[in-house]
Amino acid sequence: MLLTFIGAIVLAIGCVGMVSLAFRATGRKTPKGVLPLTAGVAMIAFIAYIENSWYSRIVADLPESHVVVATGEPFSNFIQPWTLIFPRINRFMLVDTATVRVNQADPSLRLAEVILVQRYARTIVTRQVIDCENARRADLTDDIVLDDAGLPKIDNWQDIPADGELLGTVCNAPVTSVETGAGTNPS
């Protein structure tokens, strides 16, 4: 955020300099108020661009193995009126398909890293067990234990849409290796 502020100030100074030079080159006196107006418009335009292009810039820089499976609700407010016309995305969820693993005891269970990204917040990396057959998921925590067959004992499954991106991406991802259980050791 500090770098955005510094960038806005540097851009404003540059735009004021260019407008001032343009008036000098034409031999005209700079009208009163034009330079502060130029600085203000330049800063607002810069901030609007930086804020609204955050999602597309981040997604463009992701490795091929990272697939966006959900985005947060588009954000808009009256303090930033341009967001009423062009709402922005402030958070999204993606799957690292290179981390998808299959449970040997039950091939319908897959383990994947799900990454939650939010503007101005820490990125959270979670490991989730996805049940491809029953369209449900569960967070993989240290508390999960495996039964004798190597299947995770999970009581708090959460249903997910059968036609959703998360299920489709994880269940159709190429699997590079196979893990026994869901990646945890029985306790």
Side-chain angles (χ1 to χ4, degrees):
M1 205 161 155
L2 178 63
L3 291 178
T4 301
F5 179 68
I6 292 170
I9 289 176
V10 168
L11 179 69
I13 291 169
C15 288
V16 165
M18 289 190 323
V19 168
S20 181
L21 284 175
F23 274 100
R24 280 191 182 174
T26 60
R28 295 175 36 201
K29 185 178 179 193
T30 307
K32 193 174 190 178
V34 168
L35 297 182
L37 180 65
T38 300
V41 169
M43 287 193 289
I44 289 172
F46 178 74
I47 296 297
Y49 169 75
I50 290 295
E51 292 290 319
N52 281 24
S53 67
W54 172 80
Y55 171 73
S56 60
R57 286 183 291 118
I58 296 297
V59 170
D61 288 340
L62 292 174
E64 285 185 30
S65 65
H66 289 64
V67 178
V68 175
V69 294
T71 59
E73 289 293 317
F75 172 81
S76 61
N77 66 22
F78 290 104
I79 295 173
Q80 299 171 332
W82 56 88
T83 62
L84 298 172
I85 300 169
F86 305 107
R88 70 174 183 250
I89 303 293
N90 282 338
R91 61 187 175 144
F92 61 95
M93 179 171 67
L94 55 99
V95 172
D96 183 356
T97 56
T99 66
V100 175
R101 307 288 183 257
V102 172
N103 185 302
Q104 286 180 336
D106 184 354
S108 70
L109 294 181
R110 301 237 174 158
L111 173 68
E113 273 189 7
V114 177
I115 304 166
L116 309 171
V117 183
Q118 183 171 334
R119 180 110 168 123
Y120 301 122
R122 282 184 27 188
T123 298
I124 299 170
V125 178
T126 65
R127 293 180 61 150
Q128 295 187 3
V129 178
I130 309 293
D131 185 347
C132 297
E133 190 173 299
N134 298 309
R136 58 188 185 165
R137 68 162 195 86
D139 292 329
L140 186 65
T141 63
D142 293 334
D143 300 336
I144 293 180
V145 296
L146 303 177
D147 63 14
D148 295 335
L151 297 173
K153 294 180 183 179
I154 301 173
D155 297 327
N156 57 345
W157 286 101
Q158 296 177 357
D159 291 332
I160 54 177
D163 60 346
E165 289 288 321
L166 176 61
L167 189 70
T169 300
V170 172
C171 295
N172 295 323
V175 180
T176 56
S177 67
V178 179
E179 289 190 13
T180 303
T184 62
N185 296 324
S187 10

